[in-house]
Amino acid sequence: MAEAKNGIKNLLEFEKPLVPIFKKIEELKAVSAHGMDMTEEIKMLQKRIETLRREIFQNLSPIQIVQLARHILRPTTLDYINMMVEDFVELRGDRNYGDDPALVGGVGRLNGKPVLVIGHQKGHTTKELLARNFGMANPEGYRKALRLMRVAQRANRPIISLVDTPGAYPGIGAEERGQSEAIAKNLREMAALTVPFVTVITGEGGSGGALGIGMGNRVLMLQYSIYSVISPEGCASILFRDATRAPEAATASKITAKDLLEFDVIDEIIKEPVGGAHNDPSASAQNIQVSVTKHIEELSKLSPRELIADRYRKYRKMGIFIES
Amino acid sequence: MAKISIHEWFTRKKKAKAETEAVSARLDIPGNLWIKCYKCSATLFIKDLEANLKVCPKCNYHFKLSSAERIKLLCDEGTFKELNAEIRSTDFLGFSDSQPYQKRIEDSMLKSNLMEAVITGEGQVSSIPVALGVMDFSFMGGSMGSVVGEKITRIAEHGMEHKLPVIVVTASGGARMQEGIMSLMQMAKTSAALQRLREFGLPYIVILTDPTTGGTTASFAMLGDIHIAEPGALIGFAGPRVIEQTIRQKLPVGFQRSEFLESHGMVDVIVNRKDLKSTLTKILRFYKD
Ligand SMILES: [Zn+2]
């Protein structure tokens, strides 16, 4: 992941104005290999990249944010755990059917204090993505998550969930084993958790598959993550009868962190480094850590009863309608 | 998930629309006395079909019921009192596809003669008072937006307030996309309310009817103490077409039907429509006296 930092290879379409500068830097590097000192020139060009990047990122459209949220290099749950959580021990299995590699969890310490972390797991290569089913969990993934949340509850430790999934997996086995029941039960049981619970949408918040581990007392979103009831492509192909109208659907459905903060669906936006989380994963992890720590500390002042009441208040008021 | 269910919802909605139109064309126009069963193609005398609770006497195919018909089927005559009838949907996103959401709402009201995709209220089943919610597929495919979520939540709260068992009859294609994230949040809201009901020690009974999919299934439809299903109902998380597209193979016969769910442990009992009220009564009596 780190070697791809500032790389030219994985630039998104809207970052293409950076390409000539990257090329120029490569040329200069080749020249300096022959003994000429180009350090100053290279430094200047790198500064230019920074400035230009800042400019580009100042005005991203929703569909561009979607692309960032799905970026192949975007830090995954296990990347963040490695950067944030000390003494992490991954815990596997739902004690019923199996273990789901698309949804991971375990115990460790955040700032020296015990926490339980669960999250959807994607990957940075096709091989990794296939092994993780692209972060699309099966029922056993949701059941493992619930089992682990109860482990945290019995130990009276806070729970952090990291959400990054296109959605729960739509497959034959998933239906046979009760995908709906697994998610529904998680929703009901998350409402009853007696410990502080913070959710961070780190990438794709894909519908019920995201919500299935996402009912925190606080829900935070990374600046370039998305959270939606349906993917822009799905929305476009169904409602607009044309999948190529995804950019329009992305805008209309209000799926960015900024939109969701306005609707009070989330509590806070966590800033990302210029160029997105993958451009500086450790800075992104640092930002998440600071924000999550703050919220856990606030929530830790509440009693178990108050935590349940706090969560209930949050979700009870969801909905916009007219009542005459 | 909703990608799936809603996708499927639309296909089915189209089908259902054709179905409804066909039914009304055949059922409502005087002089049209016959209808062909959608499943076995038997030609049925409409009066017979209606006398048989809209169940095909030849193949047991259960035609869809409207919420009014369902209430008449389940509640003792004259006992149902609607609650929260005046909550309306509104186009808070300014969402427009082939037509603005606001217009879609108004058209649905006119076409279905309903205010929303669920009717809730208090009634009696064999003299046992219950809090009841009945979804109606003819209003925007029974999709769950803010109003459906709110009415389901309030009927659960009404049950708690008056110590009544809560019964919900589901018929829904899933979340209502035109309300964006707010439709997803209804899953959280209804499930949290049902958690409270559970802590209250009150029974929650779900009657699953054709079809129940997507966000509705993945929240209040699968949280019952008891799950009753009508025969042959499509019940699932993802719609069949989306699953087919994902796994690129044909789905087995009977996949995601009531009988499939029963054999996989997700449904307690499949009940023919003619026995629905009596079975429900037996279950309610288990809880009461
Ligand atoms: Zn028939």
Side-chain angles (χ1 to χ4, degrees), chain B residues 20-53:
Chain B
T20 325
E21 278 166 3
V23 172
S24 55
R26 288 158 179 160
L27 289 182
D28 299 341
I29 297 170
N32 227 350
L33 302 173
W34 302 92
I35 184 171
K36 225 178 204 179
C37 173
Y38 305 136
K39 196 180 167 199
C40 72
S41 300
T43 306
L44 307 169
F45 191 44
I46 282 165
K47 282 255 159 63
D48 288 347
L49 183 64
E50 286 185 332
N52 202 35
L53 306 170

PDB file of all heavy atoms in Angstrom, chain B residues 20-53:
ATOM      1  N   THR B  20     -52.311  -6.701 -11.066  1.00  0.00           N
ATOM      2  CA  THR B  20     -53.410  -5.938 -10.463  1.00  0.00           C
ATOM      3  C   THR B  20     -54.360  -5.434 -11.531  1.00  0.00           C
ATOM      4  O   THR B  20     -55.576  -5.508 -11.388  1.00  0.00           O
ATOM      5  CB  THR B  20     -52.863  -4.708  -9.708  1.00  0.00           C
ATOM      6  OG1 THR B  20     -51.622  -5.065  -9.134  1.00  0.00           O
ATOM      7  CG2 THR B  20     -53.820  -4.258  -8.625  1.00  0.00           C
ATOM      8  N   GLU B  21     -53.750  -4.914 -12.598  1.00  0.00           N
ATOM      9  CA  GLU B  21     -54.593  -4.388 -13.667  1.00  0.00           C
ATOM     10  C   GLU B  21     -55.438  -5.493 -14.282  1.00  0.00           C
ATOM     11  O   GLU B  21     -56.616  -5.318 -14.563  1.00  0.00           O
ATOM     12  CB  GLU B  21     -53.724  -3.694 -14.721  1.00  0.00           C
ATOM     13  CG  GLU B  21     -53.388  -2.270 -14.286  1.00  0.00           C
ATOM     14  CD  GLU B  21     -52.265  -1.653 -15.094  1.00  0.00           C
ATOM     15  OE1 GLU B  21     -51.780  -2.303 -16.039  1.00  0.00           O
ATOM     16  OE2 GLU B  21     -51.876  -0.522 -14.760  1.00  0.00           O
ATOM     17  N   ALA B  22     -54.760  -6.636 -14.443  1.00  0.00           N
ATOM     18  CA  ALA B  22     -55.483  -7.767 -15.008  1.00  0.00           C
ATOM     19  C   ALA B  22     -56.630  -8.159 -14.085  1.00  0.00           C
ATOM     20  O   ALA B  22     -57.752  -8.378 -14.528  1.00  0.00           O
ATOM     21  CB  ALA B  22     -54.538  -8.942 -15.199  1.00  0.00           C
ATOM     22  N   VAL B  23     -56.301  -8.193 -12.782  1.00  0.00           N
ATOM     23  CA  VAL B  23     -57.320  -8.581 -11.816  1.00  0.00           C
ATOM     24  C   VAL B  23     -58.480  -7.592 -11.840  1.00  0.00           C
ATOM     25  O   VAL B  23     -59.638  -7.991 -11.945  1.00  0.00           O
ATOM     26  CB  VAL B  23     -56.735  -8.667 -10.388  1.00  0.00           C
ATOM     27  CG1 VAL B  23     -57.855  -8.879  -9.376  1.00  0.00           C
ATOM     28  CG2 VAL B  23     -55.751  -9.823 -10.302  1.00  0.00           C
ATOM     29  N   SER B  24     -58.102  -6.300 -11.775  1.00  0.00           N
ATOM     30  CA  SER B  24     -59.197  -5.336 -11.710  1.00  0.00           C
ATOM     31  C   SER B  24     -59.981  -5.335 -13.016  1.00  0.00           C
ATOM     32  O   SER B  24     -61.193  -5.197 -13.008  1.00  0.00           O
ATOM     33  CB  SER B  24     -58.664  -3.944 -11.378  1.00  0.00           C
ATOM     34  OG  SER B  24     -57.681  -3.575 -12.300  1.00  0.00           O
ATOM     35  N   ALA B  25     -59.239  -5.521 -14.111  1.00  0.00           N
ATOM     36  CA  ALA B  25     -59.941  -5.573 -15.388  1.00  0.00           C
ATOM     37  C   ALA B  25     -60.945  -6.718 -15.384  1.00  0.00           C
ATOM     38  O   ALA B  25     -62.050  -6.588 -15.874  1.00  0.00           O
ATOM     39  CB  ALA B  25     -58.948  -5.753 -16.526  1.00  0.00           C
ATOM     40  N   ARG B  26     -60.479  -7.834 -14.782  1.00  0.00           N
ATOM     41  CA  ARG B  26     -61.356  -8.993 -14.816  1.00  0.00           C
ATOM     42  C   ARG B  26     -62.353  -8.990 -13.674  1.00  0.00           C
ATOM     43  O   ARG B  26     -63.462  -9.485 -13.803  1.00  0.00           O
ATOM     44  CB  ARG B  26     -60.514 -10.272 -14.749  1.00  0.00           C
ATOM     45  CG  ARG B  26     -59.782 -10.516 -16.039  1.00  0.00           C
ATOM     46  CD  ARG B  26     -58.605 -11.402 -15.765  1.00  0.00           C
ATOM     47  NE  ARG B  26     -57.848 -11.712 -16.965  1.00  0.00           N
ATOM     48  CZ  ARG B  26     -56.612 -12.136 -16.914  1.00  0.00           C
ATOM     49  NH1 ARG B  26     -56.001 -12.275 -15.772  1.00  0.00           N
ATOM     50  NH2 ARG B  26     -55.962 -12.416 -18.019  1.00  0.00           N
ATOM     51  N   LEU B  27     -61.871  -8.489 -12.513  1.00  0.00           N
ATOM     52  CA  LEU B  27     -62.719  -8.605 -11.331  1.00  0.00           C
ATOM     53  C   LEU B  27     -63.759  -7.501 -11.251  1.00  0.00           C
ATOM     54  O   LEU B  27     -64.872  -7.726 -10.830  1.00  0.00           O
ATOM     55  CB  LEU B  27     -61.875  -8.589 -10.064  1.00  0.00           C
ATOM     56  CG  LEU B  27     -61.024  -9.821  -9.772  1.00  0.00           C
ATOM     57  CD1 LEU B  27     -60.287  -9.641  -8.460  1.00  0.00           C
ATOM     58  CD2 LEU B  27     -61.859 -11.090  -9.735  1.00  0.00           C
ATOM     59  N   ASP B  28     -63.322  -6.304 -11.617  1.00  0.00           N
ATOM     60  CA  ASP B  28     -64.165  -5.161 -11.302  1.00  0.00           C
ATOM     61  C   ASP B  28     -65.145  -4.785 -12.401  1.00  0.00           C
ATOM     62  O   ASP B  28     -66.128  -4.115 -12.146  1.00  0.00           O
ATOM     63  CB  ASP B  28     -63.288  -3.946 -10.966  1.00  0.00           C
ATOM     64  CG  ASP B  28     -62.421  -4.238  -9.750  1.00  0.00           C
ATOM     65  OD1 ASP B  28     -62.769  -5.178  -9.019  1.00  0.00           O
ATOM     66  OD2 ASP B  28     -61.417  -3.551  -9.555  1.00  0.00           O
ATOM     67  N   ILE B  29     -64.821  -5.165 -13.611  1.00  0.00           N
ATOM     68  CA  ILE B  29     -65.715  -4.767 -14.680  1.00  0.00           C
ATOM     69  C   ILE B  29     -66.911  -5.716 -14.731  1.00  0.00           C
ATOM     70  O   ILE B  29     -66.760  -6.922 -14.842  1.00  0.00           O
ATOM     71  CB  ILE B  29     -64.978  -4.752 -16.041  1.00  0.00           C
ATOM     72  CG1 ILE B  29     -63.858  -3.698 -15.989  1.00  0.00           C
ATOM     73  CG2 ILE B  29     -65.940  -4.456 -17.183  1.00  0.00           C
ATOM     74  CD1 ILE B  29     -62.918  -3.743 -17.172  1.00  0.00           C
ATOM     75  N   PRO B  30     -68.071  -5.140 -14.577  1.00  0.00           N
ATOM     76  CA  PRO B  30     -69.268  -5.994 -14.581  1.00  0.00           C
ATOM     77  C   PRO B  30     -69.354  -6.762 -15.905  1.00  0.00           C
ATOM     78  O   PRO B  30     -68.976  -6.245 -16.948  1.00  0.00           O
ATOM     79  CB  PRO B  30     -70.414  -4.995 -14.456  1.00  0.00           C
ATOM     80  CG  PRO B  30     -69.795  -3.679 -14.108  1.00  0.00           C
ATOM     81  CD  PRO B  30     -68.382  -3.719 -14.531  1.00  0.00           C
ATOM     82  N   GLY B  31     -69.772  -7.934 -15.817  1.00  0.00           N
ATOM     83  CA  GLY B  31     -69.906  -8.724 -17.037  1.00  0.00           C
ATOM     84  C   GLY B  31     -68.718  -9.628 -17.252  1.00  0.00           C
ATOM     85  O   GLY B  31     -68.775 -10.602 -17.985  1.00  0.00           O
ATOM     86  N   ASN B  32     -67.580  -9.274 -16.583  1.00  0.00           N
ATOM     87  CA  ASN B  32     -66.413 -10.137 -16.684  1.00  0.00           C
ATOM     88  C   ASN B  32     -66.456 -11.129 -15.533  1.00  0.00           C
ATOM     89  O   ASN B  32     -66.157 -10.800 -14.400  1.00  0.00           O
ATOM     90  CB  ASN B  32     -65.140  -9.296 -16.608  1.00  0.00           C
ATOM     91  CG  ASN B  32     -64.162  -9.681 -17.695  1.00  0.00           C
ATOM     92  OD1 ASN B  32     -64.353 -10.676 -18.380  1.00  0.00           O
ATOM     93  ND2 ASN B  32     -63.136  -8.889 -17.845  1.00  0.00           N
ATOM     94  N   LEU B  33     -66.830 -12.309 -15.828  1.00  0.00           N
ATOM     95  CA  LEU B  33     -67.122 -13.251 -14.753  1.00  0.00           C
ATOM     96  C   LEU B  33     -66.020 -14.263 -14.504  1.00  0.00           C
ATOM     97  O   LEU B  33     -66.038 -14.977 -13.525  1.00  0.00           O
ATOM     98  CB  LEU B  33     -68.420 -14.011 -15.077  1.00  0.00           C
ATOM     99  CG  LEU B  33     -69.645 -13.124 -15.296  1.00  0.00           C
ATOM    100  CD1 LEU B  33     -70.828 -13.968 -15.769  1.00  0.00           C
ATOM    101  CD2 LEU B  33     -70.010 -12.373 -14.016  1.00  0.00           C
ATOM    102  N   TRP B  34     -65.046 -14.283 -15.396  1.00  0.00           N
ATOM    103  CA  TRP B  34     -64.051 -15.356 -15.323  1.00  0.00           C
ATOM    104  C   TRP B  34     -62.642 -14.804 -15.196  1.00  0.00           C
ATOM    105  O   TRP B  34     -62.343 -13.720 -15.660  1.00  0.00           O
ATOM    106  CB  TRP B  34     -64.141 -16.232 -16.574  1.00  0.00           C
ATOM    107  CG  TRP B  34     -65.495 -16.818 -16.755  1.00  0.00           C
ATOM    108  CD1 TRP B  34     -66.523 -16.283 -17.471  1.00  0.00           C
ATOM    109  CD2 TRP B  34     -65.982 -18.027 -16.184  1.00  0.00           C
ATOM    110  NE1 TRP B  34     -67.632 -17.078 -17.398  1.00  0.00           N
ATOM    111  CE2 TRP B  34     -67.332 -18.167 -16.614  1.00  0.00           C
ATOM    112  CE3 TRP B  34     -65.441 -19.018 -15.365  1.00  0.00           C
ATOM    113  CZ2 TRP B  34     -68.115 -19.258 -16.233  1.00  0.00           C
ATOM    114  CZ3 TRP B  34     -66.217 -20.103 -15.004  1.00  0.00           C
ATOM    115  CH2 TRP B  34     -67.546 -20.207 -15.433  1.00  0.00           C
ATOM    116  N   ILE B  35     -61.779 -15.557 -14.566  1.00  0.00           N
ATOM    117  CA  ILE B  35     -60.374 -15.188 -14.477  1.00  0.00           C
ATOM    118  C   ILE B  35     -59.519 -16.450 -14.608  1.00  0.00           C
ATOM    119  O   ILE B  35     -59.926 -17.535 -14.190  1.00  0.00           O
ATOM    120  CB  ILE B  35     -60.082 -14.464 -13.135  1.00  0.00           C
ATOM    121  CG1 ILE B  35     -58.636 -14.000 -13.079  1.00  0.00           C
ATOM    122  CG2 ILE B  35     -60.396 -15.352 -11.945  1.00  0.00           C
ATOM    123  CD1 ILE B  35     -58.340 -13.096 -11.899  1.00  0.00           C
ATOM    124  N   LYS B  36     -58.337 -16.245 -15.190  1.00  0.00           N
ATOM    125  CA  LYS B  36     -57.423 -17.372 -15.332  1.00  0.00           C
ATOM    126  C   LYS B  36     -56.440 -17.349 -14.174  1.00  0.00           C
ATOM    127  O   LYS B  36     -55.873 -16.309 -13.861  1.00  0.00           O
ATOM    128  CB  LYS B  36     -56.659 -17.218 -16.661  1.00  0.00           C
ATOM    129  CG  LYS B  36     -56.574 -18.507 -17.452  1.00  0.00           C
ATOM    130  CD  LYS B  36     -55.860 -18.286 -18.766  1.00  0.00           C
ATOM    131  CE  LYS B  36     -56.296 -19.360 -19.763  1.00  0.00           C
ATOM    132  NZ  LYS B  36     -55.673 -19.193 -21.052  1.00  0.00           N
ATOM    133  N   CYS B  37     -56.223 -18.458 -13.493  1.00  0.00           N
ATOM    134  CA  CYS B  37     -55.260 -18.521 -12.387  1.00  0.00           C
ATOM    135  C   CYS B  37     -53.849 -18.290 -12.929  1.00  0.00           C
ATOM    136  O   CYS B  37     -53.466 -18.848 -13.947  1.00  0.00           O
ATOM    137  CB  CYS B  37     -55.325 -19.878 -11.686  1.00  0.00           C
ATOM    138  SG  CYS B  37     -54.024 -20.088 -10.460  1.00  0.00           S
ATOM    139  N   TYR B  38     -53.084 -17.432 -12.210  1.00  0.00           N
ATOM    140  CA  TYR B  38     -51.727 -17.111 -12.676  1.00  0.00           C
ATOM    141  C   TYR B  38     -50.798 -18.307 -12.601  1.00  0.00           C
ATOM    142  O   TYR B  38     -49.791 -18.375 -13.270  1.00  0.00           O
ATOM    143  CB  TYR B  38     -51.138 -15.959 -11.852  1.00  0.00           C
ATOM    144  CG  TYR B  38     -52.012 -14.736 -11.836  1.00  0.00           C
ATOM    145  CD1 TYR B  38     -52.245 -14.032 -10.671  1.00  0.00           C
ATOM    146  CD2 TYR B  38     -52.620 -14.298 -13.016  1.00  0.00           C
ATOM    147  CE1 TYR B  38     -53.069 -12.913 -10.662  1.00  0.00           C
ATOM    148  CE2 TYR B  38     -53.446 -13.192 -13.017  1.00  0.00           C
ATOM    149  CZ  TYR B  38     -53.662 -12.506 -11.837  1.00  0.00           C
ATOM    150  OH  TYR B  38     -54.487 -11.419 -11.837  1.00  0.00           O
ATOM    151  N   LYS B  39     -51.140 -19.247 -11.738  1.00  0.00           N
ATOM    152  CA  LYS B  39     -50.228 -20.372 -11.551  1.00  0.00           C
ATOM    153  C   LYS B  39     -50.627 -21.575 -12.418  1.00  0.00           C
ATOM    154  O   LYS B  39     -49.824 -22.075 -13.181  1.00  0.00           O
ATOM    155  CB  LYS B  39     -50.192 -20.782 -10.077  1.00  0.00           C
ATOM    156  CG  LYS B  39     -49.000 -21.663  -9.748  1.00  0.00           C
ATOM    157  CD  LYS B  39     -48.986 -22.047  -8.274  1.00  0.00           C
ATOM    158  CE  LYS B  39     -47.989 -23.166  -8.012  1.00  0.00           C
ATOM    159  NZ  LYS B  39     -48.301 -23.829  -6.735  1.00  0.00           N
ATOM    160  N   CYS B  40     -51.879 -21.989 -12.316  1.00  0.00           N
ATOM    161  CA  CYS B  40     -52.256 -23.227 -13.005  1.00  0.00           C
ATOM    162  C   CYS B  40     -53.077 -22.967 -14.261  1.00  0.00           C
ATOM    163  O   CYS B  40     -53.413 -23.902 -14.990  1.00  0.00           O
ATOM    164  CB  CYS B  40     -53.021 -24.159 -12.066  1.00  0.00           C
ATOM    165  SG  CYS B  40     -54.691 -23.585 -11.695  1.00  0.00           S
ATOM    166  N   SER B  41     -53.375 -21.683 -14.503  1.00  0.00           N
ATOM    167  CA  SER B  41     -54.128 -21.283 -15.689  1.00  0.00           C
ATOM    168  C   SER B  41     -55.558 -21.813 -15.746  1.00  0.00           C
ATOM    169  O   SER B  41     -56.204 -21.734 -16.785  1.00  0.00           O
ATOM    170  CB  SER B  41     -53.390 -21.686 -16.986  1.00  0.00           C
ATOM    171  OG  SER B  41     -52.141 -21.065 -17.031  1.00  0.00           O
ATOM    172  N   ALA B  42     -56.010 -22.359 -14.665  1.00  0.00           N
ATOM    173  CA  ALA B  42     -57.405 -22.801 -14.639  1.00  0.00           C
ATOM    174  C   ALA B  42     -58.321 -21.588 -14.783  1.00  0.00           C
ATOM    175  O   ALA B  42     -58.018 -20.514 -14.290  1.00  0.00           O
ATOM    176  CB  ALA B  42     -57.703 -23.520 -13.328  1.00  0.00           C
ATOM    177  N   THR B  43     -59.409 -21.759 -15.498  1.00  0.00           N
ATOM    178  CA  THR B  43     -60.371 -20.670 -15.620  1.00  0.00           C
ATOM    179  C   THR B  43     -61.326 -20.730 -14.425  1.00  0.00           C
ATOM    180  O   THR B  43     -61.937 -21.759 -14.150  1.00  0.00           O
ATOM    181  CB  THR B  43     -61.158 -20.807 -16.931  1.00  0.00           C
ATOM    182  OG1 THR B  43     -60.205 -20.899 -17.997  1.00  0.00           O
ATOM    183  CG2 THR B  43     -62.026 -19.595 -17.155  1.00  0.00           C
ATOM    184  N   LEU B  44     -61.354 -19.609 -13.697  1.00  0.00           N
ATOM    185  CA  LEU B  44     -62.111 -19.614 -12.451  1.00  0.00           C
ATOM    186  C   LEU B  44     -63.262 -18.620 -12.523  1.00  0.00           C
ATOM    187  O   LEU B  44     -63.102 -17.519 -13.049  1.00  0.00           O
ATOM    188  CB  LEU B  44     -61.198 -19.236 -11.277  1.00  0.00           C
ATOM    189  CG  LEU B  44     -59.899 -20.044 -11.125  1.00  0.00           C
ATOM    190  CD1 LEU B  44     -58.987 -19.402 -10.100  1.00  0.00           C
ATOM    191  CD2 LEU B  44     -60.220 -21.479 -10.728  1.00  0.00           C
ATOM    192  N   PHE B  45     -64.334 -18.990 -11.962  1.00  0.00           N
ATOM    193  CA  PHE B  45     -65.479 -18.108 -11.819  1.00  0.00           C
ATOM    194  C   PHE B  45     -65.138 -17.137 -10.685  1.00  0.00           C
ATOM    195  O   PHE B  45     -64.802 -17.543  -9.576  1.00  0.00           O
ATOM    196  CB  PHE B  45     -66.717 -18.949 -11.488  1.00  0.00           C
ATOM    197  CG  PHE B  45     -67.999 -18.187 -11.569  1.00  0.00           C
ATOM    198  CD1 PHE B  45     -68.249 -17.316 -12.637  1.00  0.00           C
ATOM    199  CD2 PHE B  45     -68.990 -18.361 -10.604  1.00  0.00           C
ATOM    200  CE1 PHE B  45     -69.448 -16.622 -12.718  1.00  0.00           C
ATOM    201  CE2 PHE B  45     -70.191 -17.659 -10.677  1.00  0.00           C
ATOM    202  CZ  PHE B  45     -70.418 -16.790 -11.735  1.00  0.00           C
ATOM    203  N   ILE B  46     -65.190 -15.838 -11.005  1.00  0.00           N
ATOM    204  CA  ILE B  46     -64.706 -14.849 -10.046  1.00  0.00           C
ATOM    205  C   ILE B  46     -65.424 -14.916  -8.702  1.00  0.00           C
ATOM    206  O   ILE B  46     -64.812 -14.818  -7.649  1.00  0.00           O
ATOM    207  CB  ILE B  46     -64.793 -13.434 -10.671  1.00  0.00           C
ATOM    208  CG1 ILE B  46     -63.617 -13.266 -11.632  1.00  0.00           C
ATOM    209  CG2 ILE B  46     -64.745 -12.365  -9.595  1.00  0.00           C
ATOM    210  CD1 ILE B  46     -63.753 -12.104 -12.575  1.00  0.00           C
ATOM    211  N   LYS B  47     -66.704 -15.126  -8.753  1.00  0.00           N
ATOM    212  CA  LYS B  47     -67.474 -15.241  -7.499  1.00  0.00           C
ATOM    213  C   LYS B  47     -66.943 -16.386  -6.641  1.00  0.00           C
ATOM    214  O   LYS B  47     -66.814 -16.271  -5.419  1.00  0.00           O
ATOM    215  CB  LYS B  47     -68.967 -15.455  -7.822  1.00  0.00           C
ATOM    216  CG  LYS B  47     -69.674 -14.166  -8.223  1.00  0.00           C
ATOM    217  CD  LYS B  47     -70.559 -13.652  -7.078  1.00  0.00           C
ATOM    218  CE  LYS B  47     -70.895 -12.173  -7.189  1.00  0.00           C
ATOM    219  NZ  LYS B  47     -71.677 -11.801  -8.375  1.00  0.00           N
ATOM    220  N   ASP B  48     -66.581 -17.486  -7.309  1.00  0.00           N
ATOM    221  CA  ASP B  48     -66.015 -18.635  -6.581  1.00  0.00           C
ATOM    222  C   ASP B  48     -64.678 -18.275  -5.950  1.00  0.00           C
ATOM    223  O   ASP B  48     -64.393 -18.637  -4.817  1.00  0.00           O
ATOM    224  CB  ASP B  48     -65.796 -19.823  -7.531  1.00  0.00           C
ATOM    225  CG  ASP B  48     -67.114 -20.461  -7.940  1.00  0.00           C
ATOM    226  OD1 ASP B  48     -68.141 -20.137  -7.294  1.00  0.00           O
ATOM    227  OD2 ASP B  48     -67.118 -21.261  -8.894  1.00  0.00           O
ATOM    228  N   LEU B  49     -63.852 -17.560  -6.744  1.00  0.00           N
ATOM    229  CA  LEU B  49     -62.528 -17.182  -6.256  1.00  0.00           C
ATOM    230  C   LEU B  49     -62.648 -16.302  -5.015  1.00  0.00           C
ATOM    231  O   LEU B  49     -61.943 -16.492  -4.020  1.00  0.00           O
ATOM    232  CB  LEU B  49     -61.752 -16.452  -7.363  1.00  0.00           C
ATOM    233  CG  LEU B  49     -60.321 -16.053  -7.019  1.00  0.00           C
ATOM    234  CD1 LEU B  49     -59.441 -17.280  -6.776  1.00  0.00           C
ATOM    235  CD2 LEU B  49     -59.714 -15.194  -8.129  1.00  0.00           C
ATOM    236  N   GLU B  50     -63.556 -15.343  -5.093  1.00  0.00           N
ATOM    237  CA  GLU B  50     -63.715 -14.442  -3.956  1.00  0.00           C
ATOM    238  C   GLU B  50     -64.304 -15.172  -2.748  1.00  0.00           C
ATOM    239  O   GLU B  50     -63.886 -14.941  -1.615  1.00  0.00           O
ATOM    240  CB  GLU B  50     -64.570 -13.236  -4.349  1.00  0.00           C
ATOM    241  CG  GLU B  50     -63.755 -12.298  -5.233  1.00  0.00           C
ATOM    242  CD  GLU B  50     -64.485 -11.016  -5.571  1.00  0.00           C
ATOM    243  OE1 GLU B  50     -65.736 -11.034  -5.611  1.00  0.00           O
ATOM    244  OE2 GLU B  50     -63.803 -10.009  -5.812  1.00  0.00           O
ATOM    245  N   ALA B  51     -65.221 -16.058  -3.014  1.00  0.00           N
ATOM    246  CA  ALA B  51     -65.802 -16.841  -1.912  1.00  0.00           C
ATOM    247  C   ALA B  51     -64.729 -17.712  -1.276  1.00  0.00           C
ATOM    248  O   ALA B  51     -64.806 -18.083  -0.108  1.00  0.00           O
ATOM    249  CB  ALA B  51     -66.935 -17.702  -2.442  1.00  0.00           C
ATOM    250  N   ASN B  52     -63.703 -18.019  -2.051  1.00  0.00           N
ATOM    251  CA  ASN B  52     -62.607 -18.857  -1.560  1.00  0.00           C
ATOM    252  C   ASN B  52     -61.431 -18.003  -1.068  1.00  0.00           C
ATOM    253  O   ASN B  52     -60.283 -18.439  -1.097  1.00  0.00           O
ATOM    254  CB  ASN B  52     -62.156 -19.818  -2.672  1.00  0.00           C
ATOM    255  CG  ASN B  52     -61.439 -21.022  -2.125  1.00  0.00           C
ATOM    256  OD1 ASN B  52     -61.773 -21.525  -1.054  1.00  0.00           O
ATOM    257  ND2 ASN B  52     -60.415 -21.466  -2.849  1.00  0.00           N
ATOM    258  N   LEU B  53     -61.698 -16.788  -0.639  1.00  0.00           N
ATOM    259  CA  LEU B  53     -60.678 -15.876  -0.097  1.00  0.00           C
ATOM    260  C   LEU B  53     -59.555 -15.585  -1.082  1.00  0.00           C
ATOM    261  O   LEU B  53     -58.407 -15.418  -0.697  1.00  0.00           O
ATOM    262  CB  LEU B  53     -60.094 -16.425   1.217  1.00  0.00           C
ATOM    263  CG  LEU B  53     -61.099 -16.783   2.313  1.00  0.00           C
ATOM    264  CD1 LEU B  53     -60.403 -17.538   3.443  1.00  0.00           C
ATOM    265  CD2 LEU B  53     -61.795 -15.537   2.852  1.00  0.00           C
TER     266      LEU B  53
END
